[in-house]
Amino acid sequence: MTRFWTRLCVVLTVILGVNYVAWRWLASLNWEAWWIAVPLVIAETYSLIDVMLFGLTVWNLKIRKPPPAAPDTATVDVFITTYNEPLDLVMTTALAAKDIRWPHSTWILDDGNRPEMRELAESNGIGYVTRGADWTPDMPRHAKAGNLNNALMVTSGEYLLILDADQIPEPDILDKTLGYFNDDRVALVQTPQYFINVPADDPLGSQAPLFYGPIQQGKDGWNAAFFCGSNAILRRDALMQLGLVGYVKATEKSVRRALAASRSAIKKARRSAEAENPLVEQMLNEVEAATESAQQELEAGASLSEITYRVRRKVDDAVRTLVAADFSALQSDLEEIAAMELAHVGESGVTTVASDAVDRMSGRDWSPLGALESVHAVLDAISVERTDEAQPIMPLATISVTEDMATAMRLHALGWKSVYHHEILANGLAPEDIKTMLTQRLRWAQGTMQVLLRENPLVQRRLTWGQRLMYFSTMWSYLSGFAAVVYFAAPIIYLTLGILPVTSLSLDFFIRFIPFMVVNQMLFVIAGHGIPTWRGQQYSLALFPTWIKACTTAARNVWFGRPLGFAVTPKARQSGGPSWSLIRPQIIVAALLALAMVVGVLRLLSGMSEPLGTLVNVAWVTFDLVVLSVLVKAVLYKGFVPEELAAPEGPESPERPERPERPEERNADAV
């Protein structure tokens, strides 16, 4: 019955929303004030698309039944990822993980390479993994994704339970989830993230009942529930397939670039005076023919190792022949080759030909022998027979500062299935101050936008259209910061300048706008089964500077190569007083809104504006101020310590905290 009412609300929301936005574009724009009228209608169109994507998500909302029992032979590795978190916090999670009832191995993956962490782990019978003896905390390559990829190479469990350092698991977490893997195509089971140190009013918006509920259940209905970085179980075979596919793709791309660079160098060599020598011409022809043949074999799907081997052997033969001829340009060309940086290690751990090296090779006037030596060097750089390369296979995606979404999307593209298990089976610690919260939200948003810009789901051919839109809807939501700026600006402009972005606030406006907004809110209430969503709505608007920064910095990173740091979320409240500077843009906007309200009332009293427009915009400003007010409480928030965490034990014998029973998430249909 809930599905019926949800779908009815979706249909009504789409019909009324399209009717309203179409009328706005076609009949209501105030072209005399186009500079605010057009941005406002664009923002409204953005919001309509956003709610339509939400409607599509909950259209297939899936309520799962408990899975069957898993085979007794299933082997599991429990990974606890850590970098610089407090030792007692990590050990509390590790010892709780060790107490999980299903037979398993527990591992602490310490990217901080801390001797004291190793000692605690070993003394408690817990496995310890770091990147290697020469690894130092100031050189974390690929951050958490690299940490997990490294651990995959030194463990062997069929399934992996991944936990953040603060996510304390329930003893039955594996008993309740491993059964889903009886389906050989299931690669991922994601469970909710719940935070035990959050008060009922949740001032920092840490709980996400809408996401870890209707949204993930809806994505699950489209086989698009995705990995959220923690509290998830993954199939090792699926990850290793993903790593191998990625490795092959990266290697093939590098071979293509190397063959292109080789052909370019040979063409340049033909222009030299030495190329008129019949022997030289013959050798160049043979090598060029070998590269052309290699290109054809590559297109036909031949073995990469065979392709590169044959071309390298042909180049070797030609070089030996030409060396015997003692060309005078040999020394200068070899010196140029020695100085040239030919390769670098890419995202998949594969050595690739650097683009600047290709340009230099193509632009230089090579002698024939120099050209062949250069071709040889490039082919050596991408040789797939390399045995000295560390961890070339990178199963978890490293294209963004968050590894989870991209990894899940790639798994889905390979035909794997995912499951969202709607039951809280681990308890974590949320940020306890606004600075930490903003750091966390920024990283999430940056990672999501990096994935959008690098692997746009809408163009991933092997995803179904449902999966493409489910991934895209999450990415689309982070563009809301730009729309929020317009929503704040429009009432300020009217109340202070009297400029209305619509032709008039007539009956036509209200009979279209009000029904759309009412049904829109009904959709959230019905789809959410009454769960609280107001705090999430507040932060989606109030954090507009964070969302805008995430979009711009991610774009700079992708397009211009500017690095994004991976900031580990602190697990303890940061010292210092209220950090008002962190919300300076919002304070300025709030001040402008309040000032605009006063000015608007004064303009009304003096007869400079009409009552209806003033009333509507004063109500709009009031709503905006209520939205922004959440940040005042967030800045003043001093943390919350529930009774079960008030007296924590030491790292040697921590007790797993109990959380209050939540019937709405423990009932029969909550799975």
Side-chain angles (χ1 to χ4, degrees):
M1 198 58 162
T2 300
R3 173 172 288 190
F4 168 79
W5 290 110
T6 299
R7 289 185 171 182
L8 179 62
C9 278
V10 170
V11 172
L12 291 176
T13 298
V14 171
I15 292 173
L16 295 173
V18 170
N19 177 61
Y20 169 70
V21 171
W23 174 80
R24 287 281 289 112
W25 276 103
L26 299 175
S28 74
L29 285 181
N30 180 7
W31 289 105
E32 293 182 359
W34 63 267
W35 46 273
I36 183 60
V38 172
L40 180 58
V41 75
I42 290 174
E44 290 178 299
T45 304
Y46 164 84
S47 297
L48 173 62
I49 295 172
D50 195 42
V51 75
M52 289 170 69
L53 289 170
F54 175 76
L56 184 67
T57 300
V58 298
W59 186 268
N60 269 354
L61 193 141
K62 189 170 219 172
I63 306 297
R64 288 187 176 270
K65 296 179 180 179
D72 293 339
T73 56
T75 59
V76 182
D77 287 319
V78 179
F79 289 167
I80 298 145
T81 58
T82 179
Y83 176 61
N84 60 1
E85 292 85 354
L87 301 182
D88 59 343
L89 182 145
V90 178
M91 286 307 300
T92 298
T93 300
L95 291 174
K98 186 180 178 183
D99 289 340
I100 292 173
R101 288 198 289 261
W102 190 276
H104 65 284
S105 299
T106 303
W107 301 86
I108 293 175
L109 315 185
D110 184 20
D111 244 6
N113 197 15
R114 294 168 287 181
E116 58 273 27
M117 185 81 263
R118 178 190 292 273
E119 182 180 347
L120 279 172
E122 292 177 350
S123 65
N124 284 278
I126 295 170
Y128 179 86
V129 177
T130 190
R131 305 279 190 116
D134 58 346
W135 182 258
T136 58
D138 61 343
M139 48 185 276
R141 182 183 177 212
H142 300 316
K144 181 179 175 181
N147 192 8
L148 289 167
N149 284 330
N150 176 68
L152 281 169
M153 304 304 161
V154 297
T155 56
S156 59
E158 296 174 79
Y159 306 103
L160 314 168
L161 169 59
I162 297 176
L163 299 168
D164 282 344
D166 64 301
Q167 292 287 340
I168 301 174
E170 300 280 356
D172 58 355
I173 185 171
L174 294 175
D175 298 272
K176 292 188 174 182
T177 54
L178 280 179
Y180 290 112
F181 292 101
N182 290 343
D183 182 343
D184 291 339
R185 297 309 300 165
V186 170
L188 162 71
V189 177
Q190 178 67 55
T191 70
Q193 293 189 27
Y194 179 81
F195 304 104
I196 199 170
N197 62 330
V198 174
D201 60 347
D202 193 7
L204 297 178
S206 296
Q207 307 290 23
L210 188 63
F211 179 78
Y212 289 112
I215 291 180
Q216 276 283 55
Q217 288 176 305
K219 292 179 186 294
D220 195 20
W222 294 98
N223 187 29
F226 57 76
F227 179 34
C228 299
S230 182
N231 305 4
I233 304 91
L234 294 97
R235 187 189 295 269
R236 180 185 292 270
D237 285 352
L239 287 176
M240 296 312 294
Q241 181 193 8
L242 190 62
L244 289 169
V245 169
Y247 178 76
V248 171
K249 284 183 177 179
T251 303
E252 181 177 334
K253 181 178 179 181
S254 186
V255 170
R256 289 181 185 278
R257 173 170 278 184
L259 292 176
S262 301
R263 291 194 298 272
S264 178
I266 292 170
K267 288 179 181 179
K268 291 287 185 181
R270 289 187 182 280
R271 300 173 187 172
S272 67
E274 295 95 331
E276 297 177 1
N277 185 300
L279 179 61
V280 172
E281 184 177 4
Q282 177 186 348
M283 293 299 101
L284 291 177
N285 287 340
E286 290 181 4
V287 173
E288 187 172 32
T291 58
E292 293 292 346
S293 176
Q295 183 67 41
Q296 294 172 4
E297 292 175 3
L298 187 62
E299 300 298 336
S303 166
L304 296 178
S305 61
E306 291 295 324
I307 291 172
T308 57
Y309 176 80
R310 283 194 289 270
V311 177
R312 289 165 63 211
R313 296 292 73 79
K314 179 61 68 175
V315 173
D316 281 341
D317 293 342
V319 168
R320 281 194 293 268
T321 301
L322 294 183
V323 166
D326 191 23
F327 284 97
S328 60
L330 172 63
Q331 186 62 39
S332 62
D333 283 345
L334 291 182
E335 290 174 355
E336 178 71 12
I337 293 166
M340 181 178 290
E341 296 177 0
L342 289 175
H344 72 286
V345 177
E347 182 254 332
S348 295
V350 177
T351 304
T352 59
V353 179
S355 57
D356 59 338
V358 174
D359 294 338
R360 292 168 62 190
M361 182 189 300
S362 301
R364 191 180 186 280
D365 291 330
W366 291 107
S367 71
L369 183 58
L372 294 180
E373 288 288 354
S374 179
V375 170
H376 192 281
V378 173
L379 293 173
D380 274 345
I382 53 87
S383 171
V384 297
E385 294 114 0
R386 295 185 306 276
T387 58
D388 58 345
E389 198 175 85
Q391 196 185 314
I393 298 175
M394 304 282 277
L396 277 87
T398 59
I399 63 167
S400 83
V401 292
T402 53
E403 74 294 336
D404 41 23
M405 178 184 287
T407 298
M409 190 168 71
R410 292 176 179 183
L411 286 170
H412 283 129
L414 289 178
W416 290 96
K417 298 178 183 178
S418 64
V419 168
Y420 174 66
H421 181 86
H422 187 55
E423 182 178 11
I424 296 170
L425 296 173
N427 304 287
L429 298 178
E432 294 189 341
D433 60 274
I434 190 171
K435 180 179 180 181
T436 304
M437 182 267 281
L438 292 176
T439 299
Q440 183 186 67
R441 301 296 177 88
L442 178 62
R443 188 182 77 243
W444 290 347
Q446 285 175 328
T448 302
M449 297 312 296
Q450 282 179 307
V451 177
L452 172 63
L453 295 172
R454 286 181 167 145
E455 295 184 4
N456 186 341
L458 296 180
V459 298
Q460 301 301 314
R461 296 181 181 178
R462 291 178 296 176
L463 293 175
T464 66
W465 269 107
Q467 290 172 328
R468 296 183 201 189
L469 291 172
M470 290 303 98
Y471 280 103
F472 181 73
S473 65
T474 299
M475 300 167 182
W476 179 260
S477 67
Y478 282 114
L479 299 173
S480 63
F482 300 102
V485 171
V486 180
Y487 288 142
F488 291 136
I492 293 175
I493 291 171
Y494 175 78
L495 292 173
T496 56
L497 303 176
I499 297 175
L500 198 63
V502 297
T503 50
S504 67
L505 292 173
S506 62
L507 181 63
D508 286 340
F509 172 81
F510 290 106
I511 63 174
R512 287 173 171 83
F513 176 74
I514 293 177
F516 169 53
M517 290 303 298
V518 170
V519 174
N520 183 17
Q521 290 304 307
M522 285 177 58
L523 172 60
F524 282 90
V525 171
I526 293 174
H529 305 293
I531 60 175
T533 61
W534 170 239
R535 188 66 79 218
Q537 292 182 56
Q538 280 186 289
Y539 274 111
S540 69
L541 284 173
L543 295 186
F544 69 94
T546 300
W547 312 142
I548 292 173
K549 181 179 180 181
C551 292
T552 56
T553 54
R556 286 200 300 267
N557 169 256
V558 173
W559 294 334
F560 304 109
R562 297 187 183 179
L564 290 177
F566 184 94
V568 177
T569 305
K571 300 303 186 291
R573 178 176 174 81
Q574 303 301 289
S575 59
S579 303
W580 296 105
S581 61
L582 295 173
I583 59 168
R584 185 177 292 113
Q586 291 94 325
I587 293 175
I588 294 172
V589 168
L592 291 174
L593 287 167
L595 179 61
M597 183 184 294
V598 173
V599 172
V601 172
L602 293 176
R603 284 172 56 86
L604 176 63
L605 294 176
S606 62
M608 297 176 65
S609 61
E610 51 93 17
L612 183 59
T614 302
L615 177 63
V616 168
N617 281 276
V618 166
W620 191 349
V621 166
T622 302
F623 174 80
D624 287 343
L625 289 173
V626 170
V627 166
L628 293 172
S629 67
V630 67
L631 293 172
V632 175
K633 190 169 187 177
V635 170
L636 298 175
Y637 180 59
K638 296 182 179 180
F640 170 73
V641 181
E643 293 181 4
E644 57 268 32
L645 295 182
E649 301 289 332
E652 298 297 330
S653 57
E655 293 183 357
R656 180 172 51 83
E658 298 292 334
R659 60 171 173 79
E661 187 77 7
R662 288 179 298 282
E664 73 276 15
E665 289 166 343
R666 289 291 195 185
N667 58 23
D669 67 347
V671 180

